[in-house]
Amino acid sequence: MTIYLDNQATTRIDPAVIAAMLPLMDTHYANPGSSSHAPGRLVGEWVDSAVSGMAGLFNVASDELIVTSGATESNNLALFGVALHPKQKRRTIVTLMTEHRALLDPLSRLEKNGFEIIRFPVLQCNETDTGIVELDRISEAINENTALVSVMMANNEIGAIQPLSEIAKICQRFEVPLHTDASQAVGRMPIDVQALGVDLVSFSAHKFYGPKGIGGLIVRQSPSSVQLQPQILGGGQQQNLRSGTLNSVGIIGMAKAMELAAANRGTEMAEQERLRNLLWLLLNEQIDGLNLNGPELIAEKRLANNLNVCFPKVEGQSLMLAVPDLAVSSGSACTSADPHPSHVLLGIGLSVDQARSSLRFGLGRFTTEEEIRMTADWLGKAHAKLASFAA
Ligand SMILES: Cc1ncc(COP(=O)(O)O)c(C=O)c1O
C-alpha cells in the first residue's frame, strides 16, 4: 500500500469530477465553439455555465476568467502579457526569491530581454514569519517604472501565506498591477479577488482534485483593466487572449472540482490541519532534533495541509529510499529531477545540507489518520536506522 502525501505536487482526481467529465468525452464531444449545430451549442452552453460558476466563486465576471492549460501557462501569459504589451513603458517587475520556477523562469527570460527583475528575500528561518515577505520591502521597491508585482499566495514547499491584501493596497497606491500565483491556494483558501484587490490570478485544476493540463488566469477588467499581449494566437477564442479550442472535458472537470472544494473547504481543511499537526507531533515523539521549515503551524500563516521537516543527520533522499511506500518529496515536483537543493529552502536561510535533509509532506482530501500514524512510524524506524549508520 502506498501512502500518498504529495498533494502539493498534485492531487487525485475526485471520483465526482471524473463522473462529471465522462459524458464530455463520450456522448457530448462536440466542439464548444461549433455554434452552427445543436451538439456544439449544448456543449458551448455547459462550458459557459461552468466558466461562469468558477468566476462567481472568485467573485469576478465570466469574461475575466481565461482558461489555460494550467498555472505555468497562466504565469507566462500574465508576465509576458503585461511586459510585452505594446503600450507597456515600464521596465521593472518585483517578485520573491521563493516563487515557483513557473514564475521565476519566465522572469529570467524577460530579464535577458532587458527588464529589471527585483527578487526579494523573505523572512529567514531564525525569524518569526519565516517565508513571508516584509511589506516595507515591497513599498520601497515600487516606483513609476514598475510594470508588475508578482507574489504567490501560498508557497508550494513551505506553505507560507503571503499578506496579499496588504500588498495589493501598496500596489494600488502606485497604480501597479498585482499578479498572484494561487496554485496552492485555490481550493484550500477562500479567494475573493475583488476583496483581495489583486489583478491577475493563476491556478491549476490538478492541485484541487481536478484533471491535469487545465487551469486559469483571472484578468481583472475593473476597477482598472489589465492589458495583456496574447501569447497563443489562432482562432480568437476567449476574447483573443488565448486562442485554441476550449478544453470542454477539462473545463467541466475543473468547475466540478472547484465547486466541491468550495462546498467542503471548511471541514476538509480543518481535518487536514488536524492530521498535519498530528504528523508533526508523532514525528517529534519518534525523532529528536527535528526542525520545522517555514512558518508556524497556524492557519493564517501556513497552508493547513503542508508540513516541511528537516531531519537531523539523514538526507531526505535516503529516507525516501528507505520508505518506498511513502510518496513525499524533497522539493517541488517540477524540480525533483533537479539535483540542486530547493531554492525555497535555501531562500529561507537553510544550509545546503539542511535543505538536502528535508522532506515536504502535503496532506489531502483522501488522507486518513491511519496513514499519518503509519507514516510517522515508518519514518521513525527508518531514521533511527540511517542515523545509526551516520553516527
Ligand atoms: C505554486 C505553483 N505554481 C505553478 C505550478 C505549475 O503548475 P502546472 O504544472 O499545473 O502548470 C505549481 C505546480 O507545481 C505550483 O505549485
Side-chain angles (χ1 to χ4, degrees):
M1 163 189 151
T2 298
I3 298 180
Y4 184 79
L5 293 183
D6 202 13
N7 286 278
Q8 241 79 60
T10 197
T11 56
R12 171 182 152 194
I13 308 185
D14 194 285
V17 171
I18 298 177
M21 289 193 298
L22 283 175
L24 279 291
M25 294 185 229
D26 180 0
T27 330
H28 300 287
Y29 52 82
N31 188 324
S34 294
S35 51
S36 58
H37 50 70
R41 283 194 297 276
L42 181 65
V43 178
E45 276 165 29
W46 286 354
V47 163
D48 287 349
S49 135
V51 170
S52 144
M54 289 187 282
L57 291 172
F58 286 107
N59 196 16
V60 297
S62 290
D63 62 357
E64 294 179 299
L65 171 49
I66 305 297
V67 175
T68 65
S69 63
T72 301
E73 185 192 327
S74 300
N75 287 351
N76 276 265
L77 177 56
L79 300 172
F80 290 117
V82 166
L84 304 181
H85 191 273
K87 290 199 184 132
Q88 183 60 267
K89 299 280 179 286
R90 301 173 175 203
R91 309 307 286 172
T92 304
I93 298 179
V94 173
T95 191
L96 304 184
M97 284 164 69
T98 49
E99 294 283 323
H100 194 275
R101 290 251 79 92
L103 192 104
L104 293 174
D105 286 8
L107 284 178
S108 299
R109 169 77 66 87
L110 284 170
E111 195 168 37
K112 286 199 184 98
N113 292 345
F115 279 81
E116 185 196 7
I117 311 298
I118 301 178
R119 302 170 183 84
F120 279 125
V122 289
L123 287 161
Q124 299 292 287
C125 50
N126 54 359
E127 297 171 296
T128 42
D129 293 347
T130 306
I132 296 171
V133 68
E134 286 170 292
L135 292 173
D136 288 352
R137 290 201 178 250
I138 306 264
S139 46
E140 282 159 20
I142 299 185
N143 57 38
E144 63 288 346
N145 200 25
T146 311
L148 184 71
V149 173
S150 182
V151 173
M152 73 202 312
M153 197 167 284
N155 188 275
N156 51 301
E157 293 192 42
I158 54 172
I161 297 172
Q162 301 297 342
L164 262 198
S165 61
E166 279 84 1
I167 296 173
K169 285 187 195 110
I170 300 171
C171 291
Q172 279 154 11
R173 270 212 312 276
F174 291 89
E175 296 185 358
V176 173
L178 173 62
H179 167 249
T180 189
D181 178 346
S183 304
Q184 295 293 337
V186 174
R188 300 190 175 114
M189 292 165 59
I191 304 178
D192 179 329
V193 171
Q194 291 202 42
L196 263 178
V198 289
D199 302 284
L200 294 153
V201 182
S202 303
F203 57 92
S204 267
H206 70 98
K207 305 288 185 184
F208 51 94
Y209 313 93
K212 295 171 183 57
I214 184 109
L217 177 68
I218 289 169
V219 185
R220 290 302 306 283
Q221 297 307 321
S222 71
S224 59
S225 136
V226 186
Q227 305 228 294
L228 293 184
Q229 164 92 316
Q231 300 302 303
I232 297 181
L233 308 178
Q237 290 89 345
Q238 307 198 72
Q239 302 102 250
N240 254 324
L241 268 178
R242 201 276 191 181
S243 284
T245 299
L246 286 169
N247 174 353
S248 46
V249 183
I251 291 172
I252 299 298
M254 174 160 71
K256 183 71 187 174
M258 206 178 281
E259 182 195 310
L260 285 176
N264 306 316
R265 192 175 43 236
T267 41
E268 201 170 284
M269 295 321 291
E271 175 64 358
Q272 288 174 39
E273 186 173 18
R274 182 184 79 80
L275 293 178
R276 187 268 316 267
N277 295 350
L278 177 66
L279 177 60
W280 178 232
L281 190 93
L282 293 174
L283 285 173
N284 275 289
E285 276 174 18
Q286 305 253 0
I287 305 167
D288 285 335
L290 294 180
N291 271 320
L292 176 68
N293 297 327
E296 294 164 75
L297 302 183
I298 50 177
E300 308 81 64
K301 294 193 178 166
R302 186 172 189 133
L303 283 176
N305 76 324
N306 170 274
L307 187 67
N308 196 312
V309 179
C310 179
F311 291 83
K313 298 198 212 111
V314 175
E315 289 211 340
Q317 291 284 355
S318 313
L319 273 172
M320 287 195 290
L321 284 173
V323 187
D325 291 333
L326 178 64
V328 290
S329 89
S330 56
S332 84
C334 314
T335 48
S336 57
D338 179 348
H340 299 295
S342 144
H343 72 282
V344 173
L345 297 182
L346 298 183
I348 56 168
L350 263 64
S351 67
V352 169
D353 281 352
Q354 287 170 322
R356 286 200 203 284
S357 301
S358 296
L359 287 181
R360 171 183 76 174
F361 302 85
L363 283 69
R365 180 175 291 167
F366 304 105
T367 306
T368 63
E369 181 167 334
E370 191 195 356
E371 289 178 327
I372 291 300
R373 292 187 178 280
M374 281 171 81
T375 299
D377 188 44
W378 288 349
L379 283 173
K381 289 187 179 122
H383 184 271
K385 199 164 162 189
L386 292 166
S388 71
F389 297 148

